[in-house]
Amino acid sequence: MAATRLELNMIRLLSRCEALAAERRDPEEWRLEKYVSALEDMLRELKKQSSKPAPELLNEYSRKVDFLKGLLEAEKMSSSTEKALANQFLAPGRTPTTTKERTPATKTVHLQTKARCTDKMRSELLGTVCFGATASLLLFDRLSFVTFGGCLASDEKQSAVELDAVLQHHQDVQEKLAEEMLSLARSLKNNTLAAQNVIKQDNQTLSHSLRMADQNFEKLKDESDRLEQHAKKSVNWLLWIMLIVVCFIFISMILFIRIFPKLK
């Protein structure tokens, strides 16, 4: 079904919001918050329309709008730890918003935001002081504890390199998960088709058995009727034969008595 004008406008605004969320914004930036509020209104109107999109697509729109809303709420928190925890529990979209995207923009924004929070926490904890010992940092993207030795300087170039590494790692993990899910889906499809074929064959065998049982029942009924008729006919003939024999004997006795009179 073709997308309505409201849906197209919502997709454009959603793409613009994702682009704004990916940028480094000033604390006084107000556009993204207004855009997200407008997205919520559009989503409510879209759900009320008679020609609304499929339920899966509506759920995806709601997921992305909730992600942007949660991202704004996390940015308003004062503590870096609270921001990192809030970002950790955000759920980005699963599919790209536009056809130009390779991966969903909300996932990229999610990874960038977590990397920024991690970098800010590291700056607050360590700063530019050289401790001459190892320090453990907890990365909220489920990475292991990473040991840094020597002097840790939080310069912009190092942060960019680390961000690229985190993004590449997550992209590799996502591609691996996608391949595994695709393999599981294929296996499930093959098993479903095999089970369907087995059930179909069983149904055909059962139908054939039922037809054969009906035919055998009809034949058995016919043979029973014939046997009953044959039994009745046999009894009738035997009865007539016995009557004839009795009559013959009776007549013979009378003739014998007449032919050979009683001796005096």
Side-chain angles (χ1 to χ4, degrees), residues 19-145:
L20 285 175
E23 298 174 356
R24 290 182 179 270
R25 301 183 306 280
D26 295 332
E28 299 179 357
E29 177 64 43
W30 54 270
R31 290 181 299 170
L32 182 58
E33 187 172 357
K34 296 295 182 182
Y35 290 168
V36 172
S37 179
L39 276 176
E40 290 180 332
D41 295 337
M42 286 183 176
L43 184 60
R44 282 193 293 269
E45 291 296 328
L46 190 62
K47 290 180 179 180
K48 294 178 182 178
Q49 287 185 345
S50 58
S51 59
K52 59 184 178 182
E56 295 82 5
L57 196 56
L58 280 176
N59 292 335
E60 184 66 16
Y61 289 155
S62 300
R63 187 183 182 92
K64 291 180 180 179
V65 173
D66 292 340
F67 170 79
L68 294 173
K69 186 177 178 181
L71 187 66
L72 290 174
E73 293 176 355
E75 289 179 353
K76 294 178 182 179
M77 296 180 179
S78 57
S79 173
S80 300
T81 305
E82 293 178 353
K83 290 182 179 180
L85 287 174
N87 283 311
Q88 181 69 22
F89 293 104
L90 292 178
R94 297 189 180 94
T95 58
T97 305
T98 60
T99 56
K100 296 180 181 180
E101 299 176 3
R102 255 186 91 187
T103 57
T106 49
K107 288 188 178 181
T108 305
V109 172
H110 193 207
L111 295 176
Q112 290 176 349
T113 306
K114 289 197 294 185
R116 290 172 189 167
C117 292
T118 303
D119 185 63
K120 190 172 181 181
M121 288 177 59
R122 184 180 60 188
S123 299
E124 292 177 356
L125 290 173
L126 300 180
T128 57
V129 181
C130 180
F131 292 94
T134 60
S136 299
L137 295 176
L138 180 61
L139 297 178
F140 288 87
D141 52 0
R142 295 182 182 180
L143 293 175
S144 304
F145 285 99

Side-chain angles (χ1 to χ4, degrees), residues 154-173:
S154 59
D155 56 331
E156 195 67 25
K157 183 177 180 180
Q158 184 177 0
S159 299
V161 172
E162 292 175 355
L163 175 60
D164 293 339
V166 171
L167 291 175
Q168 185 64 35
H169 170 73
H170 279 273
Q171 186 175 358
D172 295 340
V173 172

Side-chain angles (χ1 to χ4, degrees), residues 206-220:
L206 181 61
S207 300
H208 180 69
S209 300
L210 290 175
R211 287 196 301 269
M212 293 296 296
D214 293 338
Q215 292 176 1
N216 292 334
F217 179 76
E218 293 295 333
K219 291 181 179 179
L220 181 61

